[in-house]
């Protein structure tokens, strides 16, 4: 065959490399997936939907994204792999056509106090270069403007061999921008001594109020035997020297009862043992002590800007880098536009693009110096998106986890445009989502279900949005559901008066929040809803606040331990079998001795990431074999913990296993839409919305009069929202007041009273733009919320 004919044949047939246009998944069995097989088109926008717990995340994150990550990790050298977590291969038969996956999830961003919105994106780095080029007076390189870089000076001698040896004096200097007083944190912490001890008592009389420091243990022996002060003398009578020894003495070797020990003052001791640790990881009583004992004040030297004096005084025009970071990003973008300096033109263009993406994505109200730990889950997810929008990668797979959480209908439109922009760059975009507004823009929809937990895990539908509308699946049936406004609204029984609220961006808001009704606080993202609800409603007095923060707990905690459900169950088992309740706790006497009741054995591989393997003795059941011989209603304790809430509710509701105390808690869990969770599922595997509903179920048993909920519809399918509304109605009808911060139009339409904040975000928000009934809001149509709600209820 001649060269020409071969070339002809090749040009007419499609190139083999272009035929890979599907990601094929066959036989996925992660978590509750039942042998799922799907084909996902590449370079298109695919939305995965289905009720909460139907297996969307298991398919997208735990199968597709996890395998891609594992394969990428394997390309690194063995040395680098040693520092990475060892990922197990997901339970799936075939995965074909994968591309590099970038996951953009809702994990809160690092809580390090020096991490800000500016350092988490490239904005700060670019600003620092800009100021080091144009700032006057010139103080040094970009690092001189960085609050994460300390100034260093060192001097020494170096020997240069040239003919005869000569020693040359050399000094080394690095100018950093860190404020020396607060070390770039912006706040200085002080210890409130009154929280450490009661100075009217002596040490032996129980003066110390630090958890764990009792006089009965080793600390008592050390204090009594060190001889620096008299343990029977009240602390207020100590001399200056004795008080200094008690509080600040540097580590000193002492001998007590013939044993060599080290004595150290209280303050350095608790600094090391409690204050230097992550507050969230401490035990609850220690955490409460740390929060009481440490007082944070704005650093007096840098005034909270985190920067050294030089960095604060170097300016472009009248603006210092501290002023630039404190501006709202949209104002900063306008200021950067006004700079015209040919020498840094490419840098200015790049900085403008980054700041403009903040504004486009609806985060123009943030400032670059906002600590990243204070962003909500939705904001954190959108800040991460900014990194990827400017990226020059194409042909990668982006995976999003409910990107519309925390977004007002007005902002969802912008989010949709961004997802489409990522797709149009030639990327595959996979989105897990419930909101019909986002499902509507999909090129391809995969609907999982039909139920949750063990009732889900199958693909009910694959195809286009038009086909979904006529499909008989739960999502298809509810796709065009529109809640209607209530005929009559309840009358308030009283009001919570808020006067002059000024937390964050609120502009002295005066508002009466009606009690005894369902009140919804709404407004665009950043308009001040959470500031009003969490900052102005006094905690304590019968107010139960349920947010989406992570539930503190180890991988041993599960819904049964968290809700207090395990106590009545253990007692019922103990009573039926005539043994003690501690046997039925996997954290106590009944634990499998091999894995200590964890169900898995963690092998710590020193320099490599640890590996978890299911315990062979108890097969992951977490209990000692002898405990599993005791039964209640024909089931052993591990079988009970493996039951979903729905099944357990029937089991403990009647018959031999009837336990009213357990049944009440299970009813509440089913009420909040968690009927599919198994009682023993580790809390670390729950989504944000599930965590919030679990907290709600736990708090419903308390004697609170006012419930404050922060976006309870997060992560809820359209069909589950109806159930949630029923629950809120039951709460109000039982005499409670319910205040909900919410964007979901179905909840707004269902409200008795709406408080709308705005009109915009950041300094354009923080005002009350409407208060009244939903019907009045729709009729007036004067605010963004009003317009969207009117369109939604179809008036």
């Amino acid at each position: 065959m001649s060269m020409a004919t071969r070339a002809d044949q090749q040009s007419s047939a499609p190139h083999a490399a272009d035929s890979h246009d599907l990601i094929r998944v066959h036989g996925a069995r992660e978590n509750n997936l039942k042998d799922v097989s799907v084909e996902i088109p590449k370079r298109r926008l695919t939305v995965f939907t289905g009720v909460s717990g139907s297996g969307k995340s298991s398919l997208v994150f735990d199968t597709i994204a996890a395998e891609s990550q594992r394969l990428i990790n394997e390309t690194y050298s063995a040395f680098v792999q040693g520092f990475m977590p060892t990922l197990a291969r997901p339970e799936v038969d075939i995965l074909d056509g994968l591309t590099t996956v970038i996951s953009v999830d809702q994990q809160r961003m690092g809580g390090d106090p020096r991490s800000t919105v500016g350092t988490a994106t490239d904005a700060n780095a670019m600003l620092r270069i800009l100021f080091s080029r144009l700032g006057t007076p010139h103080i040094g390189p970009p690092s001189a403007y960085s609050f994460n870089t300390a100034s260093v000076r060192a001097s020494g001698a170096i020997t240069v061999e040239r003919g005869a040896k000569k020693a040359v004096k050399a000094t080394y200097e690095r100018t950093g921008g860190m404020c020396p007083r607060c070390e770039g944190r912006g706040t200085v912490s002080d210890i409130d001594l009154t929280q450490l001890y009661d100075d009217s008592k002596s040490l032996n009389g129980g003066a110390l109020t630090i958890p764990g420091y009792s006089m009965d243990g080793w600390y008592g022996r050390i204090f009594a035997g060190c001889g620096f002060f008299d343990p029977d003398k009240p602390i207020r009578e100590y001399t200056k020297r004795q008080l200094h020894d008690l509080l600040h003495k540097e580590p000193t070797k002492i001998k007590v009862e013939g044993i060599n020990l080290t004595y150290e003052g209280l303050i350095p001791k608790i600094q090391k043992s409690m204050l230097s640790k992550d507050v969230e990881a401490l035990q609850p009583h220690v955490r409460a002590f740390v929060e009481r004992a440490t007082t944070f004040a704005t650093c007096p030297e840098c005034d909270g800007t985190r920067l050294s004096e030089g960095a604060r005084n170097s300016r472009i025009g009248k603006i210092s880098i501290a002023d630039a970071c404190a501006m709202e990003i949209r104002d900063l973008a306008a200021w950067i536009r006004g700079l015209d300096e040919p020498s840094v033109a490419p840098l200015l263009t790049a900085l403008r693009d980054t700041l403009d993406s903040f504004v486009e994505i609806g985060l123009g109200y943030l400032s670059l110096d906002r600590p990243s730990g204070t962003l909500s889950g939705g904001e954190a997810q959108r800040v991460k998106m900014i990194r990827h929008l400017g990226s020059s990668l194409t042909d990668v797979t982006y995976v999003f986890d409910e990107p519309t959480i925390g977004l007002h209908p007005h902002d969802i439109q912008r989010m949709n445009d961004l997802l489409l922009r990522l797709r149009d760059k030639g990327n595959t975009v996979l989105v897990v989502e419930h909101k019909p507004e986002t499902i509507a823009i999909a090129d391809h929809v995969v609907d999982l279900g039909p139920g949750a937990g063990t009732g889900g895990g199958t693909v009910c539908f694959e195809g286009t949005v038009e086909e979904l509308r006529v499909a008989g699946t739960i999502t298809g049936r509810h796709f065009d559901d529109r809640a209607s406004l209530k005929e009559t609204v309840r009358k308030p029984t009283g009001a919570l008066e808020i006067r002059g609220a000024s937390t964050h961006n609120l502009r002295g808001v005066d508002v009466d929040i009606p009690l005894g009704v369902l009140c919804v606080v709404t407004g665009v993202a950043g308009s001040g809803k959470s500031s009003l609800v969490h900052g102005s409603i006094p905690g304590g007095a019968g107010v139960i606040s349920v947010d989406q923060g992570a539930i503190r707990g180890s991988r041993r905690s599960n819904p049964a331990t968290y809700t207090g459900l395990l106590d009545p169950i253990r007692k019922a088992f103990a009573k039926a079998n005539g043994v003690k309740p501690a046997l039925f706790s996997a954290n106590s006497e009944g634990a499998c001795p091999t894995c200590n009741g964890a169900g898995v054995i963690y092998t710590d591989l020193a320099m490599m990431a640890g590996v978890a393997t299911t315990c062979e003795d108890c097969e992951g059941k977490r209990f000692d074999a002898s405990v599993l011989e005791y039964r209640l209603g024909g089931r052993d304790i591990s079988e009970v913990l493996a039951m979903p809430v729905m099944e357990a509710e029937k089991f403990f509701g009647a018959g031999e296993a009837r336990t009213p105390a357990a049944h009440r808690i299970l009813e509440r869990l089913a009420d909040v839409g968690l009927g599919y969770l198994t009682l023993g599922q580790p809390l670390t595997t729950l989504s944000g919305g599930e965590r919030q509903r679990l907290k709600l179920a736990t708090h419903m048993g308390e004697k609170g009069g006012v419930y404050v909920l922060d976006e309870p519809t997060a992560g809820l399918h359209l069909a589950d929202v109806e159930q949630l509304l029923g629950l809120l109605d039951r709460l109000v009808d039982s005499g409670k007041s319910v205040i909900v911060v919410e964007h979901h139009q179905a909840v707004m339409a269902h409200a008795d009273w709406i408080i709308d904040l705005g009109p915009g975000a950041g300094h354009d928000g923080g005002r009350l733009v409407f208060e009244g009934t939903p019907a009045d809001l729709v009729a007036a149509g004067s605010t963004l919320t009003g317009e969207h709600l009117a369109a939604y209820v179809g008036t």
Side-chain angles (χ1 to χ4, degrees), residues 259-324:
I259 300 168
N260 290 326
L261 296 167
T262 302
Y263 173 82
E264 188 174 13
L266 282 179
I267 287 181
K269 189 106 179 136
I270 60 172
Q271 289 257 299
K272 284 182 203 148
S273 65
M274 299 178 191
L275 305 185
S276 59
K277 298 200 169 128
D278 174 19
V279 183
E280 302 298 6
L282 298 171
Q283 292 166 295
H285 66 288
V286 181
R287 183 161 82 232
F289 162 74
V290 169
E291 284 166 357
R292 276 200 317 271
T294 41
T295 52
F296 287 97
T298 305
C299 171
E301 236 169 78
C302 65
D303 207 15
T305 58
R306 306 155 179 258
L307 292 159
S308 63
E309 195 178 352
R312 297 197 303 276
N313 293 338
S314 169
R315 298 172 186 273
I316 300 178
K318 290 183 180 166
I319 302 282
S320 71
I321 190 163
D323 302 332

Side-chain angles (χ1 to χ4, degrees), residues 282-622:
L282 298 171
Q283 292 166 295
H285 66 288
V286 181
R287 183 161 82 232
F289 162 74
V290 169
E291 284 166 357
R292 276 200 317 271
T294 41
T295 52
F296 287 97
T298 305
C299 171
E301 236 169 78
C302 65
D303 207 15
T305 58
R306 306 155 179 258
L307 292 159
S308 63
E309 195 178 352
R312 297 197 303 276
N313 293 338
S314 169
R315 298 172 186 273
I316 300 178
K318 290 183 180 166
I319 302 282
S320 71
I321 190 163
D323 302 332
C325 289
M327 287 181 187
E328 288 198 1
I329 288 174
R330 50 187 161 193
D331 300 338
L332 179 60
W335 177 68
I336 296 280
R337 276 207 177 74
L339 295 179
D340 184 27
E341 188 58 49
S343 63
V344 286
L347 175 69
L348 284 172
T349 315
L351 187 52
R352 266 182 223 133
D353 288 349
T354 301
L355 296 174
D356 286 346
S357 4
F358 270 104
V359 178
E360 271 174 38
I361 207 165
L363 291 177
Y365 60 90
L366 294 179
S367 60
L368 292 182
D369 62 6
R370 167 99 175 250
S372 55
T374 62
L375 299 176
S376 69
E379 286 171 334
Q381 190 178 29
R382 301 201 285 289
V383 167
K384 291 178 196 163
M385 273 183 88
I386 287 170
R387 285 194 210 142
H388 303 306
L389 282 171
S391 138
S392 26
L393 290 172
T394 64
D395 247 338
V396 293
T397 302
Y398 285 100
V399 181
F400 290 97
D401 185 11
E402 294 191 45
T404 58
I405 276 194
L407 285 184
H408 187 269
H410 167 70
D411 301 314
I412 290 181
Q413 192 51 54
R414 286 170 163 171
M415 184 53 121
N416 285 349
D417 295 343
L418 287 169
L419 294 172
L420 293 170
R421 250 175 61 197
L422 278 175
R423 175 200 69 187
D424 294 344
K425 271 172 69 176
N427 298 310
T428 309
V429 181
L430 309 180
V431 186
V432 172
E433 188 52 83
H434 293 292
K435 294 265 170 80
E437 298 95 322
T438 299
I439 300 175
I441 61 163
D443 300 308
H444 187 73
V445 181
V446 177
D447 187 13
L448 291 157
T454 46
T458 59
V459 173
C460 306
F461 166 84
E462 266 191 280
T464 62
V465 179
E466 273 55 52
E467 291 163 2
L468 173 70
R469 280 200 158 97
V470 294
T473 67
I474 294 188
T475 309
R477 287 202 302 274
H478 287 275
F479 193 77
D480 290 312
D481 271 10
R482 292 292 179 262
S484 50
L485 297 173
K486 287 208 252 189
E487 298 285 312
T488 56
V489 293
R490 301 180 184 91
K491 290 280 173 279
T493 54
L496 261 182
E497 293 185 7
I498 293 177
R499 294 290 174 264
S502 55
T503 316
H504 300 316
N505 64 336
L506 295 176
R507 308 282 182 86
V509 172
D510 295 338
V511 63
D512 291 344
I513 298 185
L515 295 176
V517 297
L518 176 60
C519 171
V520 171
V521 180
T522 179
V524 294
S527 60
K529 306 179 296 298
S530 298
S531 306
L532 178 70
V533 170
H534 295 303
S536 308
I537 293 179
V543 175
I544 290 174
S545 181
V546 186
D547 60 9
Q548 293 192 22
I551 290 174
R552 302 281 155 244
S554 64
R555 42 184 176 238
R556 287 171 174 273
S557 350
N558 52 42
T561 57
Y562 182 76
T563 55
L565 171 65
L566 205 53
D567 288 343
I569 292 181
R570 280 202 297 254
K571 285 178 187 148
F573 263 96
K575 197 172 164 191
N577 294 287
V579 289
K580 54 184 179 181
L583 280 177
F584 301 100
S585 165
N587 298 333
S588 183
E589 291 182 25
C592 157
T594 315
C595 62
N596 287 330
V600 285
I601 291 178
Y602 292 94
T603 314
D604 188 11
L605 298 175
M607 71 283 180
M608 294 200 289
V611 179
T613 48
T614 305
C615 169
E616 290 177 3
D617 281 13
C618 64
E619 295 173 354
K621 289 180 178 170
R622 304 174 57 178

